[in-house]
Structure formats: structure tokens, C-alpha cells
Amino acid sequence: MSKHRSTLRPSRRRRKEAVAGRRLIDYPRRGRRGFRRWLPSWRQVLVPLTLVVGGLSGLFAYVYATVDIPDENAAARQEANVYYWSDGTQMVSLGALNRTIVRLSDVPESAQNAVIAAENESFYRDSGVSFQGILRAAASTAQGQETQGGSTITQQYVKNTYLSQEQTVSRKVKEFVISLKVDRTKSKQEILQGYLNTSWFGRGAYGIEAAAQAYYGIPAKKLDPSQGAMLAALLKGAELYDPSGGRKNHERAVDRWKWILDRQVKAGLMDRAERDKYRTFPEPRRQSTSTSLGGQTGYLVDVANKYIKQRTLLTDQELARGGYKIHTTFDKKRVEQLRKAVEGVLEKNIDPKKRSADAGVQAGAASVRPSDGAVLALYGGPDATQHFLNNADTFGVPVGSAFKPFVLASALEHGVPSSGGDGRKRQEVTPDSYYGEGGGLKDESSDGAGPDESHPTLRQALMTGGNATYSQLGRDVGLEKVRDTAVGTGLLKESLAGLDQSFPVGTSTPSAIRMAGAYATFANHGAQNDPYSVTKLLKDGTSIGGFESRAKARRALDKNVADKVAEVLREVGEKGVDGADGGDGAVGADARTAERVGPFLAGRTGDQDRLKSAWFIGSTEKLSTAVTMFRMKPNEPQLLPMSDVGGDGSQRGNAFPARIWADYMGAR
């Protein structure tokens, strides 16, 4: 008996030891060696996975049960965008929504197929959502290929009709759940019809009917397969694929159009013979503008919208949804005065019937307040509903000798290399320094003759043209330094020409707004303010974008440098308005106007300029205004010669911008 008990005791002891040493989770795993200790068992994988899947399934079931399909009419309510003058009075109200509801039967099957091929090939087979589509879109994007949309047509319809455009996790979850429910409660035809009627196609057009009118001037039912494919391309982003948006836009649109047609063949939605009929891109008509945007209003709204998008990242589509209150810097009285000044000079002096050289003459102008950069007025062209290029805010017109003050400012600030030594030392430059054709500062007393044509002062060279002098000066100062000075005063880097021999004499193409702003830096003693056009943006009573708070002026130039340039430009201005009064040099009405507005500084193009443009920029401490004139054939970007514009005495058209400025400043 005692022997039997002794044989049982070790077994009980081992069981007790095993229970005592057992862990809740055997990880790292006991009884394994090396890396195998860190490999979980199938139970250790399966149990937590089951818990996660079960938890997510329960959560999804809860969300599916609690999220209902909203009232689509609530999302359909739209408000106009209202723009205000600087004094708070209303400029224009833009609404209502450009949308015409059509039945699916009024949309050609080819256009329907183009949209399905572009956005959701499996539309008629899926359940309203598609994980496969999301993965396919992500993979194609990573490979730089054309893609279908990541969201299904049903999801996009739900977003357009029931939800906001915000990109949040909660909104995406709602979109997913509502899409499943909509797919169960509506037919595919109803969903496709709703999607085609609510989608954004650009040019202010919501829905395919408005888009067909905006791009081709026809109802949707008359769209051919090629036009339908072009409109389907816009669904990827009208701001990038509207062919009228520039060369890059046009290239993207053509590539996307080809891809959609080919995709229809691959998906069995179009046969190859039909596809081969469409080898020429269906160019849409030029963009039309609402008549409420006639005159200068369209240009003002264009500039305000660009500024809003820069500051807030709002898109054209989001702005077009309406409901915004936009307070601008535009002064109603000054806008009208500028319009009258421009059109008065053009009507009096430009006559295409009399002179063929006057054909295609255009003007642009802009006024900026130096103290803070507010854009107070602009002239973008004769009528924004007919002339779609905003001449006040476009790149492409060379600025000529009006660029030379930036060269002078850079020279005053940085000096030029010493004529002797290793070139690393730099000599100080003043406006009254003599500068030879071969470069280098000249001593007036070195030959006892004083200044002559080969040794003008920088002041004299700026007033008389001095292309050779300023071209050499720019190279000596350093073209990079000149460019940096121009950018620092307010010009945009992308508007500047390449750094070659002609760069210092004005081959760059800044806008009138930016030239007015840059000259304002000289008038403001070297303190620079970026031009701005919106003071307040409201949505549902809430301020957006922080437009009320503006950055303080930035020191762009030493005050002494800016004031010296301003001093020289005052002399240039007096000469400019003298020559503008009929071409005989006599001090007349224009010069008297200049005297009334007080001390001002100005830059202009001159007789030595061979560029196809004429400029005059006149600035006081209260107002800086740039005026440009050029020639261009309709629908062609190339500039035409200005040499005979306005007949004899027009100084290659250079007299007219100065006359416009003087008439504008003399208005009361």
C-alpha cells in the first residue's frame, strides 16, 4: 500500500506543476526553439481574427440599420453667389444653378456607354459599391495610366444627391451604406439618369443636358458618340480636362477621349468599325459667359475667383454650388473711370477701317493700392461675354523697357564687379553713374568730356531707351540677382523670361496687375504687398479662409534704393506724358493731369523696344496703375507688330497707354 502511494505522488506533483506554469496566452510559445517560438499557432491567429471580423460585422450591421437614405431635395437647394463692391453694395448675383433635368431616354446610348466605360464598367453588374474598382483605380494611378473612377456611379450619384462634398471618413462610410441601399431601392436606369443629371461638367454646367449646351450648343439627345466621349472625359475633373483651359488641358482631354472610345470597344460597348469613325477630336465651341457677367463684371469675378481658389483650395465646382458672399476690393467708381479712359482713347485713335495696322488692337489695365496691395480697378477687355481673355490678368505680353527699373534697383542694391582685381569685389552704383557700352562704371572726369552717347548715366539711359546700357548692366549685376529683385518686388517667377542676353530689356510677360503691384513697391519705399482682390468670404454666415487678416508688408528693397528708383521714374513719367499729348512733345492736357495728381513715378516702353506691345505704368503713393496695349488676331495667340498702330505720331503705339493713364487719373 505504501509502495502504491509512493508511485502516485510524482504524477500528482507533475499535474500541479503543469497547472501552475500554464499561461493565459502561450506566446512566445513554450517548448519551441529559435524563431519557431515566435510563430503563432493556428488557434492564436484564428481567435482574434474571428473577433475582429465579428466586431466589424456587428458594427456594419449597426451602421446599416441606423443610416437612412436622406431626402434628396434637401441637397438640391441652391443659393446664388453674391459679389460685393468695396463699399459693400452688390456687384452681381450669380445663380441659379445651370441644370436641366432630362430623362435617360433623351441621352443617346452611346453617351451613356461612354460614361459607364469611363467611370464604372461594372455598373450594371455591381451592388452599388466596388472594392475591385477602388483597387483597380489605385493600381492604374500608381502606374500613371488612364483610369476608371475609384467610386462606382452609384456612389458618385449618392455623393452628388444626398451628401456634401467633404472628404471625411464619416462621409465616406455614409456614402458606402447609402449606396448599398439606393442600389436595392432604385433601378440601374434611375441611378444612371440621376448621375447624369447631377454630375459637374465644368463651364458652370451641372448635368449632361447643360454640358451638351455649354460645350457644343446642342441638346444632349443630339450628341454623337465622339462628343459623348469628350463630355465623359470631363467627369474626371473639368478643371483639368476642359480643352479650352490651355495646351496641357487640351492634351489631357484628347488622351482621355481616345482612351474612353477604346475602352468602350474593350468592354463590348462599341464595335471596332464604329470606333474607327472617330479619329478627329470633337473640338467644343468657345466658352460662353452669362450675360450678367457682361462689361467688366466678368473680369472682376474671374480675378476674385482665382484669388479665392489660391487662398482656400476651393474648386470651380464647389464655388458653382453657390451660397457664398464674396466681398471684393474693387472700387465701382474707379472701375468705370478706367473703362471710360481705355475705351475713349481706343475710339478716338484706333480705326481698323482706316488703317489695317489697327486691326486686333487690345488693351488691358489694372490699379493697385501701394499701401496694402488691394486691386481697386481693372480693364480686362471690351466685354467679358464676348472677349474671354482677361487682358488685365494674362501672361503673354512682353513688358519691354518698363522692366528696366528692376535692373536699376538690382544694380543699386548689389553693385557691379570692380573693373580691376579678381572681380569678386563690387562697386557701388548710383542713378548718376556713367555706364559704357562694354560695361563698367565710367568716371566723368576721366576724359573731361562728360557724358555722351557711349557714356550715358543710368538715369539718362532709362529715359532715352538705353537697351545696350541696361542689357550690359543686367549681365554685370547678374541675371539671377535681377530676376530675384523682380520677383521680390512682386512679379511672378513663372512670368519671367529665360536668363539670356535680352532678359534685362523686357522679354518677360507679367500681367498688368502684377506690374502695377511691383511698381507700387517702389512707390511704397520698398515695402511689398501681394495684390489681393477679396476681403471677406462667407458661407452660411461663417467666415471662410481668413481673408480679413492679411500679412504685413514685406521688405523687398532697401528704402534708399526704392526711393532712388522712384526719383528716376518721376522723370521718366514726366517725359512719358509729354510725349503722349499728340506726339509733338508739347506739355498739354495729359501733362497738366499729371501735375494735378501730384508727384508720380512711371515706366514705359520706348522707341528702342522692338517688342509687340506698349506699356505705361504710373504710380503715386496712393495708386499704381499699369496699362498695356497689343495686337492679336482672334483665336490666335501670336502677337502682331505695333509699328504702325494709330498712324504717324503714335510712337509705335507707345503714346496711347500714357494717354489712357492720364485720362484715368484726371477723371473726377
Side-chain angles (χ1 to χ4, degrees), residues 136 205 490 505:
R136 181 178 61 246
V505 293

Side-chain angles (χ1 to χ4, degrees), residues 175-376:
E175 175 192 305
F176 188 90
V177 172
I178 294 172
S179 297
L180 290 173
K181 291 191 173 185
V182 166
D183 190 75
R184 290 181 58 190
T185 57
K186 290 180 179 287
S187 69
K188 289 292 188 180
Q189 289 74 20
E190 288 177 306
I191 293 171
L192 182 58
Q193 175 178 297
Y195 174 67
L196 291 173
N197 280 316
T198 58
S199 291
W200 167 253
F201 287 86
R203 297 194 179 186
Y206 279 95
I208 195 166
E209 177 69 14
Q213 294 287 356
Y215 288 88
Y216 293 108
I218 58 176
K221 63 183 178 183
K222 291 188 177 182
L223 290 169
D224 64 33
S226 181
Q227 293 168 331
M230 204 295 289
L231 294 184
L234 298 169
L235 294 170
K236 193 174 183 180
E239 291 172 311
L240 296 176
Y241 289 87
D242 183 343
S244 67
R247 182 174 59 85
K248 290 293 185 182
N249 268 37
H250 195 277
E251 291 174 357
R252 281 189 289 262
V254 172
D255 289 343
R256 184 73 174 171
W257 166 78
K258 290 178 180 177
W259 181 85
I260 290 172
L261 289 172
D262 292 338
R263 186 76 185 179
Q264 290 180 73
V265 175
K266 186 176 180 180
L269 300 172
M270 176 185 287
D271 60 46
R272 173 53 64 180
E274 179 74 5
R275 165 66 182 93
D276 289 340
K277 294 179 182 179
Y278 308 109
R279 295 296 175 184
T280 302
F281 182 70
E283 296 287 352
R285 66 180 186 174
R286 296 188 65 177
Q287 183 173 356
S288 61
T289 308
S290 167
T291 54
S292 63
L293 296 177
Q296 297 306 301
T297 305
Y299 304 121
L300 299 172
V301 168
D302 173 62
V303 169
N305 285 349
K306 284 181 180 178
Y307 185 68
I308 288 170
K309 288 184 288 184
Q310 291 170 359
R311 285 288 301 269
T312 66
L313 301 182
L314 286 172
T315 65
D316 283 332
Q317 179 179 0
E318 290 165 331
L319 278 172
R321 288 183 179 275
Y324 293 96
K325 310 297 182 186
I326 300 155
H327 294 259
T328 75
T329 59
F330 305 128
D331 184 306
K332 184 177 182 180
K333 182 178 179 181
R334 288 196 178 278
V335 169
E336 180 61 13
Q337 289 171 342
L338 186 56
R339 182 196 65 79
K340 286 183 177 179
V342 173
E343 294 180 357
V345 170
L346 294 181
E347 289 172 6
K348 182 178 180 181
N349 299 281
I350 305 301
D351 188 354
K353 295 180 180 179
K354 181 178 179 181
R355 290 178 295 272
S356 61
D358 287 2
V361 170
Q362 298 183 31
S367 288
V368 171
R369 187 165 56 208
S371 61
D372 66 349
V375 181
L376 301 183

